[in-house]
Amino acid sequence: MIPAHELSERVGQVQRFTRVEIFLQQMVNGLVIASVLVLVALGITLIFGLTGIVFFAQGELLMLGGFTVWFTVAQGGNYFLGIVLAASLLLALGFCLERGLMRFTLESPLNGFIVSLGLIIAFQHIVILAWGALDKGIDRPISALWNVGDVHISATRVFVVGVTALVVVLYFFVIARTRYGRALRSVAEDREVAAMMGIPVRRYITAVFVVGSATAGLGGALLLALFPVNPFIGANFVIKGFAVALIGGLGNVTGAVIAALLLGLVEAMSAGYSPAPQWTEGYAFVLMILILLLRPQGILRGTAGARVS
Amino acid sequence: MLVERRWRTRLTKYPAGASPERLLLILAVPALLIAAPWILSDSRLVALAIVAGINAIVLYGLAVLFGLTGILSIAHAALWGIGAYTAGILLRDFGWSFWAALPYAAVMAGVAAGLLGYPALRVKGHHFLIVTFAFGELLKLVLMNGGDFTGRGQGLLILEGVPPAFGLTFTSSESFYFLVIFFLLLTIATVYLLGISRLGRTLRAIRENEDLARSVGINTNAYKIGAFVISGALTGVAGALYLYYLRSVSPELFGAFPGVQMVMMLLLGGSRVLLGPLSGAVIVGFLPELINLDPIESQITFGVLLIVVILVLPQGLVAGTQSRYIWLKRRLVALVRQRPAVTMVESAGWEDGIGELGREDDDDS
């Protein structure tokens, strides 16, 4: 809540936005976009790295996470409770999907992709059936507004970026420092040899689906804090998530993070400064096609790599 | 003995003998298609049939690329849109009627498909799939932001219908349906001839083992681009038909998700069997009517159906049905003749044109 005397001061300040302020605001926007993208891309890149399946349904999982939180808040629940619920629900869903469906497609990744297409169609329309096709939004869960110098940064944005950063750090830590992470890396590198070494490969694949789904659900929950969600956002985010995962190198977590930051900043700058902002959505596609044509393995090499003729 | 016969039929240039089932299909399917308006009494059902027919043409285009050449693409809705928008813009800006604009719609879609084919030479499989998804979304974006040329969000609106030709008018629903069936039968014939031709065999070779094909001197790049162009041209024709049916088109109809719908329809029916694309379009068009689902429920059903079909009958419903039919027939024959039936799992293929039905009739004599 902004006190009245500050409000009038703030109004006066509006005319005096400096270029630096706008730039910093866009940077923060970029970080927010990058956060959601990275949460989607982490699941995508890990699932592909381990199984070779192009799991397009990841976007729908994000959408489901967002809707779970919206539903919780709409029933009078707390937003943060909603986040926990979303992550848990998506965790369970990821487990069911993997055990129930995706494991039959491990031998044929193309079938896995087609199953994910079926899931997209089914999930999208189940949500439309349940709650309609219109935007669903919630009020800002954290209404604090901070002043850093002359720039106003909303605490919600900091929260979103902060939680994402925490998750990313957690991923890095587990993958790089723990023995589970080492086992994961070896499965990504060579499934058969890893199995021969005694690593329970199927269990790791299940784990990757589970964690990836939960992460996507978290992404949706965080997204809802700032923007409204509708049943169709899955398509948008999955393709950008794939763009990020591809640009960074499929299977490469560091690459995904870097690519997410890159794309997030590009989109924010385009939305803020470009004379033709309606093309903002297109940069992801163009960048992705360029990367696929010029350097298919991504900026930092992916584990599964791309099949280049 | 049956193994010998399989070899013999594979090496012949033309499909194996005319079995009763095959002849029945050759006669029955076109007859059913033509007789449909009288069978479907409701004009709403005829409208569904028109849309199913147009979708089927797109699916045959996609089948040339996926069933024959082995390249899956989610961009075919976008190619469809290119055909539709080309026909629309030619009418709006130059006054070219349907018949004049049709070849150009096919050409534009074919060219776009050919361009799309170039990334396919560099990246394979999943990565190309993602490229086609991006292509679909990108096209939608281009159409939305193309200013008044493309009509922005509302798209194009045309005021004319298809002008009369050969003494036939196309103003009524039924007559438009016959127009669509005409092109559909033409498409099926084209795809069939392609399937049994040398070009078709080459594409199949590329599908099965590209490196091997290249090692025997086949210019795989040229053939793949060619497959894209043919695929695109067929889809472009469907686009023009769609524009003249709806009288208005907008970018939402041609993005990545309609592309996913196309893939779903094709996979439901079966991409390698001649009747597969048609069946897929008919099932998706008429199932909601049959079991009384609203549009949203029907989409959920199709999503689930796709998952079930791909896991249980990966070749599609038509091929699965054919296999079951052959199996059943063998059992019955064996029962009647008191001798054991030989069970062989066969997969329907293009080699015999209208699928495998009746090939085993050779040993029934």
Side-chain angles (χ1 to χ4, degrees), chain B residues 258-295:
Chain B
V260 170
Q261 307 269 22
M262 292 295 169
V263 169
M264 171 191 78
M265 284 192 256
L266 181 65
L267 291 170
L268 272 181
S271 61
R272 292 193 188 179
V273 194
L274 192 63
L275 286 177
L278 178 60
S279 318
V282 166
I283 292 173
V284 169
F286 286 95
L287 194 66
E289 279 302 309
L290 281 175
I291 55 182
N292 212 2
L293 297 171
D294 68 47

Side-chain angles (χ1 to χ4, degrees), chain A residues 176-253:
Chain A
R177 301 278 172 164
T178 66
R179 58 196 178 99
Y180 302 108
R182 207 171 333 134
L184 193 78
R185 274 180 281 144
S186 63
V187 172
E189 185 141 341
D190 192 328
R191 234 200 274 183
E192 282 169 19
V193 172
M196 280 192 264
M197 292 284 130
I199 295 175
V201 168
R202 295 281 288 271
R203 224 173 275 180
Y204 273 89
I205 292 178
T206 310
V208 151
F209 265 98
V210 164
V211 171
S213 310
T215 314
L218 179 68
L222 292 176
L223 180 72
L224 184 68
L226 294 168
F227 304 106
V229 295
N230 60 61
F232 309 107
I233 60 172
N236 200 348
F237 279 100
V238 78
I239 196 60
K240 287 193 198 156
F242 259 98
V244 163
L246 274 166
I247 294 170
L250 279 168
N252 190 320
V253 171

Side-chain angles (χ1 to χ4, degrees), chain B residues 1-14 16 362:
Chain B
M1 217 172 64
L2 279 160
V3 177
E4 278 176 15
R5 281 220 178 75
R6 281 192 91 190
W7 270 114
R8 206 167 65 211
T9 44
R10 269 199 198 207
L11 291 174
T12 53
K13 190 177 174 187
Y14 296 104
D362 293 335

Side-chain angles (χ1 to χ4, degrees), chain B residues 103-120:
Chain B
Y104 290 91
V107 162
M108 279 298 285
V111 164
L115 287 175
L116 182 65
Y118 274 98

